[in-house]
C-alpha cells in the first residue's frame, strides 16, 4: 500500500524523500538512492548502481574473510 501511495504522489510531479530500510521498497520505487553508513555518505546513484557499489556491499553484507 505504501509503495502505491508513493508512486501516486510521485506521478503528480512531487518529489518524495524516503528514508527506509526495506530494500525491496527502495529499489522498486526510487529513481536515485543515497546510502549512509553510520551517518556517513558512502554512495549515491541509481538503484542498479547502488546494488553493485563495493562500499555498499561491504557495509551491508560484510567482506570475505
Amino acid at each position: 500500500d505504501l509503495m502505491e501511495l508513493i508512486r501516486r504522489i510521485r506521478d503528480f510531479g512531487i518529489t518524495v524523500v524516503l528514508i527506509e530500510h526495506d530494500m525491496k521498497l527502495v529499489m522498486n520505487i526510487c529513481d536515485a538512492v543515497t546510502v549512509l553508513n553510520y551517518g556517513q555518505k558512502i554512495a549515491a546513484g541509481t538503484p542498479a548502481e547502488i546494488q553493485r557499489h563495493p562500499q555498499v556491499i561491504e557495509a551491508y553484507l560484510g567482506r570475505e574473510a
Side-chain angles (χ1 to χ4, degrees):
D1 291 337
L2 177 60
M3 192 180 308
E4 185 55 37
L5 175 61
I6 293 169
R7 277 197 178 110
R8 286 197 322 255
I9 293 169
R10 184 189 62 187
D11 290 347
F12 279 111
I14 298 170
T15 298
V16 176
V17 177
L18 177 68
I19 300 170
E20 181 58 65
H21 289 92
D22 179 341
M23 289 301 103
K24 181 179 177 185
L25 174 66
V26 170
M27 294 303 170
N28 283 309
I29 201 157
C30 294
D31 298 320
V33 178
T34 299
V35 179
L36 303 178
N37 187 28
Y38 294 102
Q40 300 297 313
K41 178 179 160 185
I42 61 170
T46 66
E49 292 168 334
I50 293 302
Q51 288 177 319
R52 295 187 308 266
H53 196 284
Q55 284 182 289
V56 174
I57 294 167
E58 183 178 329
Y60 287 86
L61 299 178
R63 80 176 96 144
E64 288 188 36

